[in-house]
Amino acid sequence: MKTNPRKERRCCRQSNLAPPVFLPDELITEILSCLRVKSLMKMKCVCKSWKTLISDSKFVKIHLNRSFARNPCFSLVMYNRPTETDDCSFMPFSISSLLENRYITPLKDPHYQLNDKGCREVVGSCNGLVCLLGYSLANDNAVVWLRFWNPATRKISDKLGYLHADNYRRNSWMFVFGYDDSTNTYKIVALNCEDVLRNVLRKPEVNMSIFSLGDNVWRSIKSLNIVPFQLISPYSRVHDGVHFSSTINWLAPCFCPNRVSKTMIVSLDLSTETYTQLMPPQSCENMPGADGSVCVFMNSFCFYHNMINGTDFIIWKMMKFGDDKSWTQFLKFNNDNLRVNCEIRFAHLIPLHLFKNGDTLVFANSLQDRAILYNWRNNIVLKPRVNNNKCWFSINCYVESLVSTC
């Protein structure tokens, strides 16, 4: 009986094939959660079960938590020179790129330009979601709207949260973006203080409103009778509201007659929508507010400042958030080692990141449009700049995520 050699070879090849491997769902989740967002968007097309998994809110949270640890990034908000709010862009970039390049080169992709999205400003970013603000002016009055954008997934919401803002050009309005863990809700806090500079020495009243993504309505909350430095010096990014652990925090002047401190921290709980007053580190209580500020540094709530004589820069960490007795000195070093001009030292250096080896710190220099990388062990300083005739307006932590825009 004759055999067919071609058929015989094909049967041999088939018999040598390994049996199909079936991975448990837990392992598939583990593997996929380690991928970048761009890859996951492609993986959605593999099969329906993967699309369902990647779109699931639990998976989005797992991926987000791992992205924070694995792919820390910054976001840079930039304008053309001279500063023009109509030509603004938002650029994510990795922290490691600061060590590799002396210049930060803006991406030319129109996807990162705000004017293509009908917006003019970046309110802030949280968990990879970016809150944008747009407005149309009629004299000094404005109609303001919000849009929520995920640069990684390239999804953006419709225009939401329309409101009428009087005297908008005089910066009587400020907006801060945050997240309420208890309800899994993204919120925008609006501060409105008419003629704040004139009223700050009396009994000013800052009207507060909150917009919740999902409800898509503005609600008024209890007014604040303390004026944050953000409203007193609106052109300084140093005193922006700081989002941390479901709260928004501002540094403000303290006029309480029974307190010696010149500054205080006002903390708004996004869950209860109530205020708490916290004091700075005890050794900083008599410090003028312009010489220090608050920030989130290495996943902790921190207070940073220069010594009054300008010699040292100090970062304090609040070991237990909400307890102003738990301040602990975290880092201290001599300003001369940073090689910055003495006139820009005060409150214009913003600590951003500490590399894993604990040697190199990253600062934003808000007056010179550059970052500063400082290795405190060997006193090496690098100062990357933004090129292509761009200047930055703010630099903040950022993470790629799958968070939805609605």
Side-chain angles (χ1 to χ4, degrees):
M1 180 177 175
K2 291 185 178 182
T3 60
N4 188 332
R6 185 176 298 175
K7 183 177 181 181
E8 194 173 78
R9 285 196 299 271
R10 185 167 63 250
C11 291
C12 289
R13 285 198 301 270
Q14 290 175 349
S15 63
N16 289 332
L17 289 176
V21 177
F22 294 95
L23 299 177
D25 292 342
E26 295 80 4
L27 185 56
I28 293 176
T29 300
E30 185 77 14
I31 295 171
L32 292 180
S33 66
C34 295
L35 298 180
R36 301 287 295 271
V37 172
K38 186 176 181 180
S39 299
L40 288 173
M41 300 304 287
K42 296 178 181 178
M43 294 296 179
K44 279 187 172 184
C45 302
V46 172
C47 59
K48 288 184 178 180
S49 61
W50 281 22
K51 181 179 180 180
T52 301
L53 170 64
I54 295 170
S55 303
D56 185 77
S57 59
K58 292 182 179 178
F59 179 84
V60 172
K61 280 194 173 182
I62 293 172
H63 180 267
L64 175 64
N65 292 333
R66 294 190 172 175
S67 294
F68 273 119
R70 188 179 62 254
N71 298 315
C73 295
F74 288 147
S75 64
L76 197 61
V77 180
M78 296 171 295
Y79 298 104
N80 276 337
R81 296 182 188 276
T83 301
E84 298 175 1
T85 55
D86 288 332
D87 191 6
C88 176
S89 58
F90 176 97
M91 186 185 82
F93 65 98
S94 67
I95 291 176
S96 59
S97 65
L98 288 176
L99 290 174
E100 300 165 359
N101 301 292
R102 292 301 302 269
Y103 294 96
I104 303 170
T105 303
L107 301 174
K108 296 182 179 180
D109 190 341
H111 170 66
Y112 297 103
Q113 295 177 355
L114 268 60
N115 54 358
D116 290 342
K117 299 170 176 55
C119 296
R120 304 190 184 194
E121 299 177 13
V122 176
V123 175
S125 64
C126 184
N127 294 343
L129 198 63
V130 182
C131 178
L132 306 178
L133 183 143
Y135 56 87
S136 60
L137 291 172
N139 297 321
D140 281 344
N141 300 324
V143 176
V144 179
W145 59 83
L146 303 169
R147 297 192 79 177
F148 297 89
W149 170 45
N150 187 324
T153 62
R154 296 186 171 243
K155 302 291 185 181
I156 190 167
S157 74
D158 295 329
K159 294 179 180 179
L160 305 170
Y162 283 91
L163 60 81
H164 293 274
D166 297 335
N167 302 317
Y168 189 76
R169 279 191 176 275
R170 294 206 295 269
N171 294 283
S172 58
W173 286 82
M174 290 291 166
F175 299 85
V176 189
F177 185 36
Y179 175 68
D180 177 8
D181 290 304
S182 65
T183 58
N184 192 30
T185 305
Y186 291 89
K187 296 183 176 182
I188 295 84
V189 180
L191 299 79
N192 179 18
C193 183
E194 299 293 339
D195 301 321
V196 62
L197 292 175
R198 186 178 62 196
N199 294 333
V200 69
L201 295 178
R202 296 186 297 180
K203 289 186 177 180
E205 185 174 277
V206 179
N207 296 319
M208 307 282 283
S209 301
I210 286 185
F211 178 90
S212 299
L213 181 58
D215 294 341
N216 296 339
V217 294
W218 286 100
R219 293 180 294 101
S220 296
I221 62 173
K222 183 179 178 181
S223 298
L224 183 66
N225 59 2
I226 300 170
V227 180
F229 284 115
Q230 183 186 20
L231 284 168
I232 298 173
S233 54
Y235 296 104
S236 172
R237 306 301 296 185
V238 175
H239 296 299
D240 278 358
V242 173
H243 170 249
F244 181 77
S245 186
S246 296
T247 64
I248 302 294
N249 302 270
W250 298 272
L251 201 67
C254 180
F255 297 112
C256 300
N258 58 339
R259 290 188 174 176
V260 179
S261 177
K262 293 183 179 180
T263 60
M264 66 190 312
I265 300 163
V266 180
S267 183
L268 171 64
D269 189 316
L270 291 176
S271 176
T272 63
E273 298 179 358
T274 57
Y275 306 104
T276 302
Q277 296 178 6
L278 303 172
M279 303 309 294
Q282 189 172 3
S283 62
C284 309
E285 289 184 347
N286 290 319
M287 179 185 306
D291 290 347
S293 194
V294 292
C295 68
V296 177
F297 183 67
M298 304 311 295
N299 299 319
S300 297
F301 187 70
C302 294
F303 181 89
Y304 63 94
H305 67 95
N306 279 274
M307 295 295 289
I308 295 177
N309 58 12
T311 57
D312 295 317
F313 188 93
I314 303 176
I315 302 175
W316 299 79
K317 179 191 293 187
M318 185 176 276
M319 303 303 293
K320 181 181 179 182
F321 182 68
D323 181 4
D324 53 16
K325 306 296 183 185
S326 66
W327 288 111
T328 301
Q329 187 172 299
F330 180 46
L331 289 171
K332 178 181 179 179
F333 51 87
N334 192 292
N335 265 320
D336 290 334
N337 296 335
L338 289 178
R339 303 169 197 166
V340 294
N341 298 330
C342 60
E343 63 269 16
I344 67 167
R345 287 178 180 169
F346 298 102
H348 296 295
L349 294 177
I350 306 172
L352 297 175
H353 184 74
L354 180 67
F355 282 90
K356 286 184 178 180
N357 59 14
D359 293 348
T360 304
L361 293 94
V362 183
F363 297 87
N365 185 327
S366 62
L367 287 188
Q368 289 191 336
D369 301 337
R370 62 172 40 180
I372 296 178
L373 279 73
Y374 170 58
N375 188 308
W376 61 270
R377 292 190 188 275
N378 54 26
N379 285 330
I380 292 178
V381 177
L382 298 176
K383 298 181 179 181
R385 290 194 74 105
V386 179
N387 62 1
N388 287 357
N389 202 35
K390 293 277 187 178
C391 67
W392 75 35
F393 189 62
S394 66
I395 181 170
N396 295 286
C397 291
Y398 172 77
V399 62
E400 287 190 350
S401 78
L402 295 162
V403 173
S404 173
T405 58
C406 59

